[in-house]
Amino acid sequence: MHNYPRWPIHAALILVSLVMLVPFYWVFKTSITGENIFVYPPSLIPVDPQPFFYVDAWYAIPFPYFFMNSVIVAVMVIAANLVINAAAGFALTKEFAGKRWIVLLFLACMMIPFHATIVPAYLVTSHLGLLNTHLGLALPAFSHIICIFLFKASFDAIPPSLIQAAKIDGVPEWQIMFRILLPLARPAVAANVILSFIWSWNDFLWPLIIIRDVEMQTLPLGLSTFLAYFEDTTGSLYAFCVMVLAPGLLVFLLAQRQFIEGLTSGARKG
Amino acid sequence: MGWILNRVTVTFALIAAVVIGWNLYVVRHDDGILEGRVVDQAGAPVAGAHVVLNEQTLVSLAPIAETKTDAQGRFTFERHDRHALVLTAGKDGVGASGRIEVRLYFRNQNRVMSEPIALGADRPA
Amino acid sequence: MPVETASRVARTTTGRGGLLARKRHRELLLIWLLLTPALLIFLAYRILPLLWNGVLSFQFWSPTKPAEWAGLFHYEEMFVYDDVFWTSLYNTFLYMLTAPISIGIAVVLALMVNSRIRGRGVYRTIIFLSYPLMVVAVGIIWRWLYDERVGLINYLLRQAGLIDEPIAFLESYGTALPSVIAAAIWQITGFFMIILLTGLQNIPPSLYEAASIDGASRWSQFWRITLPLLRPSIFICFVIAIIASFTSFDLIYVMTGGGPGHATELLITYIYKAAFTLSQFDYAGALTIVMFVLFVGIALLGNLLAGGDAGKVDIAE
């Protein structure tokens, strides 16, 4: 490799990093700023930092409800995805009549974006009597086709001799799944958890359609409702915005490598 | 993997500790007692001044309680159940105060006002 | 637990065939039981809705009225009379401009964070950071940056002397859509960078060594080696960006609500409005069918341009 000057790269990357970070900073600054947020020119650093926008936001909205709804739905979605996708992925590693058709069906379903189904999906959920419930929120996201294929691929990569050996050792067939296959398919499990978490945690359109009660709203829906009521007139909006972003950001920073791997493997298969 | 588990548990344990600690503090300090003093321009306590406690909502100001100061110019409000307050005080012949903002960190937080409320002669009661 | 049920069911079946045949029978039962939950979900939330959309689009229907045959009424309405439909279609195509712009930026960024410089891990994290975040919150952040009176962008532009009067980015016809697209690019570019970075790291270094020995310049190495070998990764990014132009509901809803007028209306926001604010489920069904056909058409076209089954082969085999 040739030697080349490094500073232009650093300069460019620092500039890009600024562009990426300043929006976060700006909203955070607004949320802790003591002055009127509509004073021009805006100050670049917070004036008399204080947490009262957060206090206002906390009492203006049932934040614990929003948070718990988001958590409940995310947990349901993650659990269902693990069970259903691992099962389906495992089934697809076997040979059986009609397998070709099932795979084709899955691939065809992949071509139907969820957004292209919202009207009848709403009607289906309404017929099931699940409007305005946690299960109704979670049900359409119970299985992601990409994750089924991720599971299939990692099950396929496990040498059959290993399973044979386990069978000879007398491990019951249904235990093979939990004792041998899932531990060996850990990257697929991680990707599955991450992808279903992100999709359920950030989902907005579906809750917007089927949720009626304030107590049933998830975080993104609560945030948009708050925006609809108060427009941009109060710093509490930005405090709420920070409160909504914080959990996701925390999870991302804690499991950054898994996030990046999960998202890229999801994209590569999609 | 153990390292990650560790980091995750540590983070969540910290968060849990902060939340529990904060709630303990809140439980012990949420009687909603708001204490203060009213003085005139010279700094002498004003007895019998009319003090009004207003709630500051996102859009408006609404009176929720009122009281009179005692001989030492002291006043106390209890169980106001709010977190954003505005105090106004006044007395005939002495004058009125401006709006004094009292922001609490949680509802019913006990607070003793460090600065007395000064009544100005220039403002009519 | 489907697995348990499967084995219990299988145990109670007493077949007459040989041991092997019974075992095979049991296995087949297990396979189908394992597939059932996933199939049910997709049946209820993909296949059935798609067919239902099709039926709806040929009916007069609302939750309070019995269905009536409408023929091509909705399609005629849409294609001949509905200007908003054409606007939203046009905007959806404009929104696809996100793809070339963000992929262009992402290629440059991927090359930079792939070079051997200090702190590249930090740069990668920072640039990727915006992607996994909640789009609704991102929309609110950008609304605030674009704010006409005290927004940071107007402030910086005025300080730099580029403009005299503040621009109402999200409230003017000319600037609303580009402003939203800029926010979308901001959010997605980091993700593309990571995808392209993985692609870059899969290029064998020996290729570059050979090229250096042949005296090829870095510039021509980029065009002859890097770019061609990055093609599959770039294709993936394109697919994601195209899908996003059909599904970017959250950003539009929060930032502009489709306005001003219908200047930022996309097909998906128009479908939402038709169905859930105007209660025209039948018309929304017809709109959805058009969107779906368009989506599949573009996907097939893309696949054709990418030279057949790119990206799909490894799953389908």
Side-chain angles (χ1 to χ4, degrees):
Chain A
M1 278 267 161
H2 304 287
N3 261 323
Y4 48 90
R6 301 282 154 83
W7 68 264
I9 298 181
H10 276 293
L13 283 175
I14 287 172
L15 187 75
V16 174
S17 302
L18 274 181
V19 172
M20 300 312 291
L21 288 178
V22 162
F24 294 111
Y25 166 74
W26 195 246
V27 160
F28 183 68
K29 182 226 108 183
T30 309
S31 77
I32 57 163
T33 238
E35 60 172 349
N36 182 346
I37 60 170
F38 286 115
V39 174
Y40 188 88
S43 63
L44 293 181
I45 49 164
V47 179
D48 322 313
Q50 40 98 326
F52 295 120
F53 284 141
Y54 288 86
V55 182
D56 283 343
W58 179 265
Y59 287 114
I61 50 168
F63 187 82
Y65 277 97
F66 296 166
F67 184 75
M68 280 320 291
N69 290 334
S70 275
V71 170
I72 290 170
V73 173
V75 168
M76 283 166 79
V77 168
I78 292 172
N81 264 285
L82 280 180
V83 174
I84 294 177
N85 296 344
F90 179 68
L92 287 184
T93 59
K94 306 276 182 189
E95 287 307 320
F96 57 96
K99 178 181 168 180
R100 230 187 106 71
W101 291 106
I102 295 287
V103 171
L104 269 179
L105 183 76
F106 280 155
L107 287 176
C109 283
M110 232 155 138
M111 289 297 291
I112 310 174
F114 181 69
H115 290 68
T117 65
I118 49 170
V119 177
Y122 169 81
L123 297 174
V124 168
T125 314
S126 143
H127 278 285
L128 293 174
L130 293 176
L131 290 184
N132 209 9
T133 62
H134 290 132
L135 185 60
L137 274 178
L139 195 58
F142 263 13
S143 178
H144 293 298
I145 297 157
I146 290 167
C147 299
I148 294 180
F149 287 118
L150 283 179
F151 266 120
K152 176 186 184 302
S154 51
F155 288 152
D156 276 338
I158 295 170
S161 56
L162 217 69
I163 298 166
Q164 285 304 324
K167 275 184 184 161
I168 290 165
D169 282 352
V171 179
E173 205 154 336
W174 61 273
Q175 278 190 18
I176 289 180
M177 184 81 176
F178 297 96
R179 296 197 16 204
I180 296 168
L181 292 179
L182 280 183
L184 282 174
R186 200 179 273 166
V189 173
N192 212 304
V193 170
I194 299 279
L195 287 173
S196 43
F197 169 74
I198 295 181
W199 287 334
S200 118
W201 189 261
N202 293 351
D203 190 21
F204 171 64
L205 178 58
W206 185 238
L208 178 69
I209 291 170
I210 71 159
I211 294 302
R212 291 285 162 268
D213 297 342
V214 177
E215 291 78 28
M216 286 301 297
Q217 290 184 349
T218 54
L219 285 174
L221 184 55
L223 186 57
S224 92
T225 317
F226 192 82
L227 175 74
Y229 276 130
F230 295 104
E231 288 284 323
D232 304 310
T233 54
T234 161
S236 304
L237 174 66
Y238 306 105
F240 187 12
C241 190
V242 173
M243 286 156 77
V244 167
L245 279 178
L249 212 57
L250 183 77
V251 174
F252 169 68
L253 290 178
L254 280 177
Q256 190 191 336
R257 195 169 51 82
Q258 284 84 349
F259 254 76
I260 292 180
E261 277 167 12
L263 278 168
T264 33
S265 62
R268 296 206 157 259
K269 291 288 168 175
Chain B
M1 204 63 189
W3 177 65
I4 299 252
L5 209 75
N6 231 350
R7 191 170 45 160
V8 172
T9 19
V10 165
T11 312
F12 282 99
L14 266 178
I15 293 174
V18 169
V19 169
I20 291 171
W22 172 251
N23 277 296
L24 282 178
Y25 179 85
V26 167
V27 165
R28 295 188 47 152
H29 295 86
D30 68 341
D31 308 309
I33 298 169
L34 180 64
E35 289 175 353
R37 271 182 339 122
V38 179
V39 296
D40 62 16
Q41 271 188 312
V46 178
H50 189 65
V51 186
V52 181
L53 185 66
N54 302 277
E55 176 183 20
Q56 171 84 67
T57 66
L58 285 171
V59 284
S60 67
L61 204 63
I64 51 169
E66 49 188 43
T67 188
K68 291 243 190 284
T69 52
D70 63 12
Q72 284 81 44
R74 296 182 180 285
F75 65 88
T76 308
F77 290 102
E78 269 182 47
R79 294 247 142 259
H80 48 70
D81 237 0
R82 303 292 196 281
H83 62 278
L85 301 158
V86 171
L87 280 171
T88 51
K91 190 183 182 189
D92 286 333
V94 184
S97 71
R99 288 177 170 187
I100 316 265
E101 254 195 43
V102 183
R103 303 292 315 253
L104 303 177
Y105 292 107
F106 50 89
R107 263 184 198 170
N108 272 332
Q109 187 187 10
N110 299 337
R111 169 71 63 86
V112 178
M113 311 266 302
S114 51
E115 294 280 312
I117 302 175
L119 302 185
D122 50 325
R123 276 185 290 253
Chain C
M1 203 75 354
V3 191
E4 272 178 290
T5 345
S7 48
R8 201 175 309 131
V9 170
R11 228 173 285 133
T12 49
T13 28
T14 43
R16 259 177 177 261
L19 188 69
L20 259 177
R22 258 204 347 250
K23 222 180 141 193
R24 179 69 191 148
H25 185 71
R26 251 179 64 171
E27 200 187 352
L28 275 178
L29 204 65
L30 180 72
I31 287 172
W32 284 102
L33 274 171
L34 289 176
L35 279 173
T36 307
L39 286 176
L40 279 179
I41 297 286
F42 294 129
L43 212 60
Y45 280 104
R46 290 289 192 281
I47 310 280
L48 180 67
L50 189 67
L51 299 178
W52 199 335
N53 261 325
V55 174
L56 270 178
S57 71
F58 292 109
Q59 284 181 335
F60 292 115
W61 185 89
S62 81
T64 49
K65 261 190 335 219
E68 225 180 288
W69 178 250
L72 289 172
F73 180 88
H74 296 303
Y75 291 98
E76 191 191 345
E77 164 96 29
M78 188 190 320
F79 288 118
V80 183
Y81 301 106
D82 192 352
D83 290 339
V84 181
F85 162 71
W86 288 106
T87 312
S88 59
L89 189 65
Y90 176 69
N91 287 341
T92 305
F93 279 109
L94 273 188
Y95 202 90
M96 290 178 195
L97 281 178
T98 330
I101 301 172
S102 56
I103 292 172
I105 301 173
V107 169
V108 177
L109 288 177
L111 285 172
M112 288 199 291
V113 296
N114 193 39
S115 58
R116 283 173 299 171
I117 56 170
R118 208 176 298 163
R120 56 185 181 177
V122 179
Y123 289 130
R124 284 175 199 173
T125 306
I126 291 175
I127 296 171
F128 181 73
L129 193 62
S130 61
Y131 178 70
L133 293 182
M134 199 177 285
V135 186
V136 176
V138 168
I140 288 180
I141 293 178
W142 278 87
R143 266 179 80 108
W144 187 228
L145 290 174
Y146 281 130
D147 191 87
E148 187 185 351
R149 284 167 294 176
V150 290
L152 179 66
I153 294 175
N154 267 314
Y155 173 69
L156 291 179
L157 288 177
R158 278 159 88 173
Q159 288 303 103
L162 291 174
I163 52 169
D164 300 322
E165 286 298 304
I167 301 171
F169 284 105
L170 296 176
E171 288 85 23
S172 330
Y173 282 86
T175 52
L177 192 59
S179 304
V180 176
I181 290 177
I185 291 173
W186 177 84
Q187 187 170 26
I188 210 163
T189 302
F191 184 39
F192 290 167
M193 177 195 78
I194 293 289
I195 294 178
L196 294 172
L197 185 64
T198 324
L200 277 180
Q201 286 166 347
N202 286 338
I203 300 176
S206 56
L207 284 180
Y208 292 108
E209 281 156 26
S212 306
I213 291 166
D214 289 350
S217 68
R218 304 194 115 259
W219 188 244
S220 74
Q221 283 180 26
F222 173 75
W223 288 104
R224 300 263 177 80
I225 303 172
T226 313
L227 217 51
L229 286 173
L230 266 188
R231 237 181 58 161
S233 304
I234 293 178
F235 180 70
I236 292 170
C237 295
F238 252 104
V239 172
I240 294 172
I242 299 295
I243 293 177
S245 68
F246 285 100
T247 57
S248 277
F249 174 82
D250 310 9
L251 205 58
I252 301 279
Y253 184 89
V254 171
M255 287 181 73
T256 63
H262 292 283
T264 55
E265 201 81 76
L266 298 186
L267 278 175
I268 180 65
T269 58
Y270 190 44
I271 290 171
Y272 170 81
K273 280 182 190 172
F276 299 104
T277 51
L278 303 175
S279 285
Q280 294 172 338
F281 288 89
D282 42 8
Y283 191 57
L287 284 171
T288 310
I289 291 294
V290 170
M291 181 175 97
F292 176 67
V293 168
L294 205 66
F295 178 79
V296 172
I298 290 176
L300 292 179
L301 191 73
N303 234 349
L304 211 69
L305 289 180
D309 268 351
K312 286 276 154 60
V313 203
D314 51 336
I315 318 173
E317 48 83 33

